[in-house]
Amino acid sequence: MDTVRRWADEGQLAVARTGGGQRLVNGVDLARLATERADAPGEGQSRVSARNRFSGLVTRVRTDELMAQVEIQAGPYRVVSLMTREAAEDLGLAPGVEAVAVVKSTTVVIERPRS
């Protein structure tokens, strides 16, 4: 995933290399970093009335002509949102991208932190 590679390249996450050069990430270290990043307020973070926010990584995006089904793994939780294909594309949602699922009543809204 691009996000995990970036964290490793930035020195935020320790990785080991296999003989073939693949990166191995310790799950406990990844969970720690994800928790730290979720607790830290981001620059320009939006203010919303919803209190149920699940920060995680997009694991799957399925689209057709009109709709998109977006899955986020947020710690032990898998959150699924249905939205227009256009909205998913505008947000740049793709596997490996960081995103936040905001749950308000029966609606799940997906947002991305500002870069």
Side-chain angles (χ1 to χ4, degrees), residues 46-91:
S46 59
R47 295 172 48 105
V48 295
S49 62
R51 298 292 180 250
N52 300 313
R53 302 170 61 85
F54 299 89
S55 297
L57 295 174
V58 175
T59 56
R60 187 174 186 186
V61 178
R62 293 173 37 185
T63 60
D64 63 19
E65 291 181 25
L66 180 62
M67 299 300 295
Q69 177 181 322
V70 179
E71 297 181 22
I72 293 177
Q73 190 66 42
Y77 306 106
R78 177 177 161 263
V79 182
V80 179
S81 177
L82 299 176
M83 64 183 70
T84 63
R85 178 187 49 78
E86 181 180 10
E89 290 172 354
D90 287 349
L91 287 170

Side-chain angles (χ1 to χ4, degrees), residues 4-15 23 32-33:
V4 174
R5 276 190 220 112
R6 190 171 50 252
W7 289 346
D9 292 344
E10 292 170 355
Q12 297 181 51
L13 184 63
V15 296
R23 300 174 196 225
R32 175 197 46 78
L33 179 59

